[in-house]
Amino acid sequence: MMNEVTFVFELEFWHWMILAALLAGLEILTPGFFFLWLGGAALLTGIVALIVPSLGWDVQVLIFAILSGASVLAWYKFRHKLVIASDDNTLNRRGEQLLGRVATLSEPIVNGRGQIHIDDTVWRCEGADMPAGTRVKVTSVRGSMLSVEGSN
């Protein structure tokens, strides 16, 4: 029992470095950037503990708590300023990228439903009944369903 108590009261810089590595590893497995900032706080706390080895465990934990809170709050406050603008406003919206494209029906449209092959994907489509092989133009997108009309 004495060894467990001694461990808490003898935090070394390498404890913080290991914690920083674990938190960085956890960040890889989770979405967002929360654990990244905690890992950075642990790394900075480890550096402080390396430079000033006489710090008690309570001061080290206090430094970690302050750095963690400050880094997470700073990220939440300034993250919207880091949004990268794109020239393509349909990025990651593949269906919308197909608007206006002309392609050939891979299966006929029967009772308003059929299939169209565009690039490497077969899409469900809806429109007026037409035979397979008809050239059509994509006019709108609703989820993964493309609306098409005959193209001349």
Side-chain angles (χ1 to χ4, degrees):
M1 182 68 176
M2 186 61 173
N3 289 340
E4 292 174 19
V5 173
T6 303
F7 174 77
V8 172
F9 291 106
E10 293 180 8
L11 282 176
E12 301 286 336
F13 76 93
W14 57 269
H15 292 116
W16 293 108
M17 300 300 179
I18 291 172
L19 180 61
L22 290 173
L23 289 168
L26 187 58
E27 178 65 39
I28 293 171
L29 302 174
T30 59
F33 289 101
F34 182 75
F35 290 107
L36 179 68
W37 304 114
L38 296 181
L43 178 67
L44 290 174
T45 304
I47 291 170
V48 169
L50 178 64
I51 294 170
V52 186
S54 62
L55 288 177
W57 69 270
D58 52 345
V59 175
Q60 291 179 36
V61 171
L62 180 64
I63 291 170
F64 174 70
I66 291 169
L67 290 174
S68 295
S71 62
V72 169
L73 288 174
W75 167 248
Y76 283 113
K77 182 173 179 160
F78 297 112
R79 70 180 173 180
H80 66 278
K81 293 181 181 181
L82 300 175
V83 174
I84 299 170
S86 173
D87 293 336
D88 184 5
N89 58 1
T90 61
L91 185 64
N92 293 329
R93 296 188 304 214
R94 188 162 180 216
E96 291 181 29
Q97 294 173 356
L98 301 176
L99 289 174
R101 293 273 305 264
V102 176
T104 305
L105 287 174
S106 58
E107 291 187 14
I109 297 180
V110 178
N111 295 326
R113 300 292 170 112
Q115 287 188 349
I116 185 174
H117 188 262
I118 300 177
D119 297 331
D120 62 347
T121 307
V122 176
W123 293 82
R124 294 182 311 141
C125 65
E126 60 186 7
D129 289 357
M130 293 179 250
T134 304
R135 304 270 301 158
V136 293
K137 181 177 181 179
V138 178
T139 57
S140 67
V141 178
R142 188 172 34 90
S144 63
M145 177 71 73
L146 304 179
S147 295
V148 297
E149 61 183 28
S151 175
N152 296 327

